[in-house]
Amino acid sequence: MSGLAASDAAMLAMVAREAADAAYAPYSGFHVGAVLLFADGAMVRAANVENASYGLSLCAEANAVAKAMNEGRRGGLVAVAIAGGKPDAEGQPVPGPEPVMPCGRCRQMLHELAALGGTDPEVIGVAEGGLTRLPLSALLPHAFGPANLA
Ligand code: THU
């Protein structure tokens, strides 16, 4: 992974925090925003959407992948940033000591979109002390994907 410049990673982290404005999280009170960065410079952002049937809640990253794919994107995924926490007065999450990194299901969903374009995107998690930056392949090694079904 070559990785984004530090300033680009910081910008993406800020956009992820802003994306959490749209969170619908009345049950957990935990607002999460995610932003996907594509090779053409486009960004697709989303927030978590919960449900009174708690288990049906959708993560910000899953919503971002679904949104991007509904816009016709198939690959080109360069990076994803995630910010989560209890919201401040503006509805933006206040990051805790540990970064929010994608849950297992979301890692798999990110892998599908990334694999379609043959990229290994950088995953950027936001914590109060800074950013955790890792390639998706480190978070989901030996991933199952489209290639396995070819
Ligand atoms: N959540 C996300 O949106 N992304 C993650 O990576 C972890 C968890 C959401 C799901 C639920 O709405 C809330 O955070 C608490 O788990």
Side-chain angles (χ1 to χ4, degrees):
M1 181 190 64
S2 57
L4 299 179
S7 55
D8 288 338
M11 178 276 297
L12 215 56
M14 205 177 66
V15 176
R17 222 175 143 249
E18 286 169 7
D21 279 351
Y24 173 68
Y27 307 110
S28 72
F30 194 79
H31 286 204
V32 184
V35 56
L36 309 180
L37 174 67
F38 290 89
D40 63 359
M43 290 188 285
V44 176
R45 61 185 79 187
N48 55 331
V49 174
E50 297 187 345
N51 192 279
S53 180
Y54 299 165
L56 301 183
S57 297
L58 299 171
C59 289
E61 302 93 315
N63 286 332
V65 169
K67 189 176 172 187
M69 294 191 76
N70 273 285
E71 290 175 3
R73 294 193 175 272
R74 300 286 187 271
L77 185 60
V78 170
V80 51
I82 307 109
K86 301 284 175 200
D88 63 14
E90 282 80 48
Q92 293 192 355
V94 179
E98 293 298 324
V100 172
M101 299 298 269
C103 77
R105 181 174 188 263
C106 289
R107 293 176 194 202
Q108 183 68 28
M109 290 187 71
L110 288 162
H111 174 70
E112 182 83 18
L113 178 54
L116 292 174
T119 62
D120 184 10
E122 181 173 353
V123 180
I124 301 166
V126 183
E128 63 188 1
L131 306 182
T132 296
R133 304 175 54 177
L134 288 167
L136 181 61
S137 61
L139 299 177
L140 191 66
H142 308 287
F144 179 79
N148 292 103
L149 299 176

